[in-house]
Amino acid sequence: MQPMPADIKVNESLQNYAIRKAREVAALEQENKQLIDNCDHWESKATELANDVATFFNTNIGEHSNVNCPVENAIDAVHMRMGQKPETIKYQCSKCTEQYDVDVFAHKSPNIGIECQCGASMVPIN
């Protein structure tokens, strides 16, 4: 005989337990769907705003990829138009000895996902 689930209620049949759990799972799935839909909506709005910024400033922000974020590029364009200068940070490959200087605005994390030519990730050097 298998042990009873730890969260089964006293005098609850396994059938009623299964029904209750199915309802809980359905509610969680609906909540997840709403979260994903909300995230997709705001990502779309951020992309729309980024494209409008690019058009307004007549600049190229590029397409979404694993190494490019148009929204970040649009934010950079605004900061540049406001006269802010990026900070140059030296990065070194985590695998080989390659080093690069990268201009990064203060609003970005220094760990921004830069990749070396060898395919390894670049890490900031202090």
Side-chain angles (χ1 to χ4, degrees):
M1 186 167 169
Q2 293 188 353
M4 296 299 265
D7 62 340
I8 195 166
K9 295 178 181 175
V10 177
N11 296 326
E12 182 178 32
S13 71
L14 286 177
Q15 181 179 7
N16 287 344
Y17 173 80
I19 291 169
R20 180 169 56 87
K21 285 299 177 182
R23 287 182 181 143
E24 289 174 12
V25 168
L28 289 173
E29 287 175 346
Q30 180 61 33
E31 183 179 332
N32 284 339
K33 182 187 178 314
Q34 288 174 343
L35 287 171
I36 291 168
D37 289 347
N38 195 23
C39 181
D40 289 346
H41 169 77
W42 289 110
E43 181 181 1
S44 173
K45 289 295 185 186
T47 300
E48 181 182 339
L49 178 59
N51 289 330
D52 290 346
V53 167
T55 300
F56 184 78
F57 289 138
N58 194 26
T59 188
N60 182 7
I61 59 171
E63 298 292 324
H64 269 287
S65 72
N66 61 332
V67 293
N68 187 59
C69 178
V71 174
E72 286 284 335
N73 295 341
I75 293 169
D76 289 351
V78 170
H79 284 272
M80 285 190 292
R81 290 295 175 126
M82 291 171 48
Q84 296 177 359
K85 303 289 184 210
E87 175 186 359
T88 300
I89 298 177
K90 187 172 282 300
Y91 286 82
Q92 182 170 346
C93 179
S94 59
K95 184 177 179 183
C96 69
T97 59
E98 289 292 320
Q99 292 186 357
Y100 300 99
D101 289 336
V102 179
D103 290 337
V104 178
F105 282 96
H107 69 275
K108 289 187 179 176
S109 164
N111 302 315
I112 54 176
I114 299 172
E115 288 186 4
C116 181
Q117 293 174 351
C118 74
S121 61
M122 302 289 288
V123 293
I125 301 171
N126 293 337

